[in-house]
Amino acid sequence: MKVLITGFDPFGGEKINPAWEAVRALPDNIDGIEVIKLQIPTVFKKSAKKLFENIDSVKPDVVICVGQAGGRYEFCVERVAINLDDGRIPDNDGYQPVDTPVFEDGDTAYFTSLPIKGMIEELKKASIPAAVSNTAGTYVCNHIMYSLLYYLNKNKLDNIRGGFIHVPYIPEQVIEKKNTPYMELSRITKALEVSIKAVKTYEKDIVVSGGKEF
Ligand code: PCA
């Protein structure tokens, strides 16, 4: 199995992005699974192009994109991406879309094809605070998750499973942010390893509750 895993570069005034730091720290091989790492820019109009080019050249079995969700407590496996760009802040190229579709001819939303419940099961066994999230937001992370699932859908690449993971801040980012959750970088990297292995373990997802009210 071959996994293409991406992490974003820093944005929003941060000096590092824990998503990329954790992705780059992954081994190249996890129990026989080949891991190909890619940094992508936090830029609406460039991120998807770079991802698509790499899907075409790498020909992975699985694509996992990873981003920072500052303020979240858990390692979050995203369930759904919506066809909407609405930037709270400009991206790294200074572009700030407001209520525009990601792709005019795309569905309203796409669900992940990763075994998210199985992944959460394995993450909890590894003592990692983790949860299914039902919103990837409306910034570049939702944009890349939507773009990925749109691309797989439009090109009939049903054999490639894809999805998105949001990770918390790491300790050095919260020194000046009182009462803000964080997770050690080594634990986030471990959580990515566990997630990758879970994708191999669970060809089909399991049926257990991951629901929440908010
Ligand atoms: N997080 C942002 C974009 C890049 C990143 O790492 C987001 O959640 O949209």
Side-chain angles (χ1 to χ4, degrees):
M1 193 172 97
K2 206 194 270 188
V3 178
L4 174 63
I5 184 159
T6 73
F8 281 105
D9 63 0
F11 70 101
E14 295 291 331
K15 290 196 183 67
I16 48 171
N17 189 323
W20 173 242
E21 297 304 321
V23 166
R24 78 200 289 215
L26 284 169
D28 297 325
N29 195 297
I30 301 171
D31 291 355
I33 304 166
E34 200 183 331
V35 180
I36 292 107
K37 309 158 208 171
L38 174 71
Q39 193 190 52
I40 52 177
T42 304
V43 174
F44 282 98
K45 291 187 172 163
K46 291 182 183 157
S47 51
K49 185 169 180 283
K50 189 162 181 189
L51 177 66
F52 296 164
E53 285 168 3
N54 277 272
I55 292 174
D56 292 347
S57 60
V58 170
K59 301 196 191 323
D61 304 293
V62 177
V63 183
I64 303 175
C65 300
V66 188
Q68 163 192 303
R72 285 201 196 175
Y73 165 74
E74 293 136 324
F75 180 94
C76 291
V77 185
E78 297 292 347
R79 193 197 297 260
V80 60
I82 60 173
N83 194 8
L84 184 84
D85 287 337
D86 189 5
R88 177 182 60 81
I89 50 172
D91 68 15
N92 286 351
D93 269 0
Y95 174 61
Q96 186 173 9
V98 175
D99 294 353
T100 53
V102 181
F103 283 100
E104 296 275 358
D105 65 341
D107 291 355
T108 303
Y110 292 109
F111 287 120
T112 184
S113 44
L114 298 180
I116 53 175
K117 302 287 181 68
M119 291 163 78
I120 298 300
E121 192 96 339
E122 296 303 316
L123 286 158
K124 289 197 170 155
K125 272 192 227 160
S127 303
I128 293 155
V132 170
S133 160
N134 298 301
T135 176
T138 57
Y139 194 48
V140 188
C141 286
N142 174 75
H143 178 91
I144 203 71
M145 181 179 175
Y146 184 90
S147 301
L148 165 63
L149 298 172
Y150 167 94
Y151 191 76
L152 299 181
N153 184 279
K154 290 283 172 193
N155 293 295
K156 306 209 173 352
L157 297 169
D158 311 334
N159 51 328
I160 304 180
R161 289 186 288 170
F164 192 90
I165 292 172
H166 258 131
V167 304
Y169 282 134
I170 53 177
E172 49 266 59
Q173 294 180 284
V174 300
I175 289 165
E176 304 287 335
K177 300 183 184 84
K178 203 173 170 202
N179 296 327
T180 306
Y182 62 87
M183 197 180 277
E184 297 286 340
L185 178 60
S186 56
R187 184 164 285 240
I188 299 178
T189 306
K190 173 86 194 312
L192 291 178
E193 272 190 54
V194 171
S195 301
I196 289 169
K197 283 196 240 175
V199 175
K200 188 174 177 191
T201 305
Y202 298 90
E203 285 246 349
K204 275 185 69 179
D205 207 359
I206 50 173
V207 183
V208 292
S209 170
K212 23 177 139 143
E213 282 78 56
F214 57 88

